[in-house]
Amino acid sequence: MRKRESADSCTTILVGKNASYDGSTIVARTEDSQNGVFTPKKLIVVKPEDQPRHYKSVLSTFEIDLPGNPVRYTAVPDAIPKDGIWGEAGINVYNVAMSETETITTNSRVLGADPLVESGIGEEDMLTLVLPYVKTAREGVLRLGKILEEYGTYESNGIAISDVNEIWWLETIGGHHWMARRVPDDAYVTNPNQLGSDYFEFGNPDEFLCDPDLEHFVTEYHLILDQEGKGFNPRYAFGSQKDKDRHYNTPRAWAIQRFLNPEIEQDPRSFEIPWCQKPYRKVTIEDVKYILSNHYQDTIYDPYGPEGDHVSQRTFRTIGINRTSQTAILQLRPNKPQETTGIQWISYGSMPYNTAVPFFTQVDTTPDYFANTTAKVTTDSFYWANRIIAGLADSHYAHHVGDLDDYQETTMAWGHARIKKVDRALAAGETVDFEAENQAMSDQIQEATDQLLDKILLDASNLMTNHFSLSD
């Protein structure tokens, strides 16, 4: 989240390679602005010559000399960089992916023992400081951990770093401490805006990593709240159990697990919803898109649904919220050439109203439709086109949902088809121009989005309050 703002944001889902439909590791997160704020985004490629050698934050006084050997990576920075870069999500030349950050909760016991550091790093900085310099997910965790130990952070965050073999979830603890857990290969993780990890083992670096002082820290400051013999639950030690959590955070974890594990009954207000679960079936890209668009369909909590009332429909914060800036689904596919291992699926704007578009990441440029975002509202920008569609369709969602579903299904099918086409071409020994393939994908999406906007605008105009059925 933006420093010193009061509202939390974002929802994360992580899918281990044995839980996904094709053996991919999948990292996905909505980047949501604070209430009343909308942040235009753009998809870019940062080449080594464009990476800063000396980095200075905008929102804090942090600065650092960076290594001289960065590699190329994708990013989704702010289109209007008044608050800094905010790179958020990308894949580098080694097919290491990073998504940062999920704002998480903490408590006064932790902050009293290890206060936040005003001059430290935050969400603004992390992708730029880590992704260009690491060859594996584990390297990424250790690099970020070292920076946190030395410089500290001014906010509490969760960060996902993945490669084709594993996903790691790092959570900051106070100003300088951190822990990371490897996502089980056969499970998925749900993490709304809470410190989520509910189990941790010291002395097991294959599955758990942390700063060198953490074990001493939790003992010295009496942070272990588990009953004897129950193991160590970081959520009790470092997290929160506030009334706000039961309306803003836990219901989102409940909604995701309700979809991927419908056989399990849980309370949306529970503080005991597991951090990870084994899904009842394999998880697809479409599942991830649906999950991150979720607004409690078929429950009394759905703000668009017929089952609740004006109280129940505003009880919980939805996942698919109006103020999403961008959503990146970072897919790292096994047994593929380096050029096609990493696929970055990108969405802009409110998730119930948009689609997810796949791009090959081992390129030097991205299509203008996805990269040209400015402060000017224009349908020549995918970001602004999606914002306009959502703004027009929201007040009559039930009327427009059929068109939205058709658009999402059709465009995502095109994405899968293009990926398969390229896979077949490479397998046949053909040369592929990946930037041209990305551009062709963008052109298809722009045409379909223009057509959807035309239909939504026509229908919304006919549904205006001042319409009158009699005419000359």
Side-chain angles (χ1 to χ4, degrees):
M1 71 177 192
R2 309 283 149 163
K3 187 184 178 188
R4 299 187 181 94
E5 293 285 353
S6 60
D8 298 329
S9 46
C10 307
T11 307
T12 293
I13 178 169
L14 314 172
V15 184
K17 60 186 178 183
N18 295 339
S20 73
Y21 72 108
D22 68 345
S24 295
T25 57
I26 300 174
V27 166
R29 179 179 59 90
T30 62
E31 180 195 354
D32 306 330
S33 299
Q34 299 80 37
N35 186 35
V37 176
F38 297 86
T39 305
K41 305 294 290 189
K42 59 183 180 179
L43 175 66
I44 66 169
V45 176
V46 182
K47 292 180 279 191
E49 58 267 30
D50 298 325
Q51 175 72 2
R53 271 33 179 197
H54 182 79
Y55 178 85
K56 295 182 69 172
S57 296
V58 172
L59 296 183
S60 84
T61 58
F62 169 80
E63 57 182 295
I64 189 175
D65 288 327
L66 292 173
N69 59 340
V71 299
R72 184 187 61 212
Y73 62 102
T74 58
V76 197
D78 287 4
I80 306 165
K82 61 182 178 62
D83 294 327
I85 296 175
W86 295 76
E88 296 298 319
I91 299 173
N92 74 13
V93 74
Y94 298 113
N95 286 308
V96 176
M98 183 173 180
S99 177
E100 58 87 17
T101 68
E102 183 77 29
T103 306
I104 60 174
T105 54
T106 185
N107 62 64
S108 56
R109 299 181 305 281
V110 171
L111 296 179
D114 182 12
L116 297 174
V117 181
E118 285 292 306
S119 61
I121 66 170
E123 183 173 352
E124 169 198 352
D125 316 298
M126 292 183 185
L127 192 89
T128 305
L129 298 179
V130 174
L131 191 56
Y133 307 105
V134 297
K135 296 181 179 180
T136 67
R138 185 180 293 260
E139 280 186 25
V141 169
L142 294 174
R143 174 170 172 79
L144 179 56
K146 283 292 186 184
I147 295 172
L148 289 166
E149 292 164 31
E150 182 173 354
Y151 296 95
T153 181
Y154 55 74
E155 59 187 7
S156 299
N157 282 312
I159 301 96
I161 308 177
S162 62
D163 55 37
V164 75
N165 294 311
E166 56 185 7
I167 305 170
W168 284 86
W169 178 248
L170 183 151
E171 290 174 301
T172 66
I173 301 161
H176 295 90
H177 291 84
W178 62 274
M179 63 179 179
R181 181 176 175 183
R182 186 182 184 277
V183 175
D185 292 336
D186 60 354
Y188 68 92
V189 166
T190 57
N191 216 102
N193 295 117
Q194 287 179 286
L195 189 138
S197 299
D198 54 9
Y199 181 73
F200 191 87
E201 291 181 16
F202 293 104
N204 181 4
D206 290 339
E207 303 293 332
F208 303 90
L209 296 168
C210 64
D211 68 90
D213 182 57
L214 188 63
E215 188 170 10
H216 174 260
F217 176 73
V218 299
T219 302
E220 180 179 3
Y221 291 98
H222 307 288
L223 295 173
I224 300 175
L225 302 184
D226 307 271
Q227 297 290 352
E228 189 172 349
K230 295 290 187 180
F232 175 50
N233 187 333
R235 195 183 294 178
Y236 296 162
F238 309 130
S240 63
Q241 292 189 346
K242 297 180 179 179
D243 292 340
K244 175 185 175 181
D245 291 325
R246 291 196 293 263
H247 293 269
Y248 197 85
N249 295 326
T250 62
R252 285 182 277 157
W254 169 78
I256 297 172
Q257 295 190 17
R258 178 174 174 264
F259 178 70
L260 293 178
N261 287 101
E263 76 283 7
I264 300 175
E265 290 286 338
Q266 298 185 107
D267 182 344
R269 293 180 174 90
S270 172
F271 291 122
E272 300 300 324
I273 295 174
W275 180 70
C276 66
Q277 296 269 32
K278 295 181 181 180
Y280 81 100
R281 60 163 174 79
K282 302 285 189 176
V283 180
T284 68
I285 297 296
E286 287 70 32
D287 292 332
V288 174
K289 170 66 173 73
Y290 177 83
I291 284 165
L292 295 179
S293 306
N294 187 279
H295 44 88
Y296 306 113
Q297 294 93 313
D298 299 317
T299 76
I300 62 171
Y301 309 116
D302 183 358
Y304 298 115
E307 298 184 33
D309 56 33
H310 70 282
V311 175
S312 66
Q313 291 174 346
R314 291 298 174 189
T315 299
F316 299 147
R317 186 260 210 220
T318 60
I319 298 172
I321 201 167
N322 64 321
R323 45 191 161 91
T324 299
S325 304
Q326 63 84 25
T327 299
I329 304 173
L330 306 175
Q331 180 183 15
L332 299 175
R333 305 187 301 154
N335 306 314
K336 299 296 181 185
Q338 181 262 352
E339 296 88 350
T340 59
T341 293
I343 305 291
Q344 184 158 350
W345 298 75
I346 193 76
S347 303
Y348 290 146
S350 183
M351 289 294 283
Y353 300 94
N354 63 21
T355 189
V357 185
F359 289 110
F360 299 103
T361 55
Q362 303 305 327
V363 293
D364 288 327
T365 62
T366 54
D368 200 47
Y369 188 49
F370 288 78
N372 70 354
T373 314
T374 67
K376 180 181 178 181
V377 179
T378 170
T379 57
D380 291 331
S381 159
F382 188 56
Y383 172 83
W384 286 114
N386 279 284
R387 284 282 310 281
I388 294 168
I389 288 168
L392 288 170
D394 175 77
S395 59
H396 298 283
Y397 176 78
H399 182 89
H400 301 297
V401 68
D403 291 324
L404 294 166
D405 284 348
D406 288 346
Y407 167 73
Q408 291 164 5
E409 184 173 70
T410 299
T411 52
M412 291 186 73
W414 290 344
H416 284 294
R418 187 162 299 278
I419 293 169
K420 191 64 177 177
K421 171 194 166 218
V422 168
D423 285 343
R424 286 173 176 158
L426 291 175
E430 299 174 19
T431 300
V432 174
D433 184 334
F434 295 101
E435 291 181 4
E437 293 295 339
N438 284 348
Q439 185 61 54
M441 185 79 256
S442 175
D443 291 343
Q444 277 188 297
I445 294 300
Q446 184 168 4
E447 182 178 0
T449 304
D450 286 346
Q451 291 173 357
L452 176 65
L453 176 56
D454 181 73
K455 180 66 164 57
I456 295 290
L457 177 59
L458 175 63
D459 289 353
S461 298
N462 282 320
L463 292 168
M464 289 173 63
T465 303
N466 64 352
H467 79 279
F468 198 76
S469 57
L470 182 64
S471 59
D472 294 330

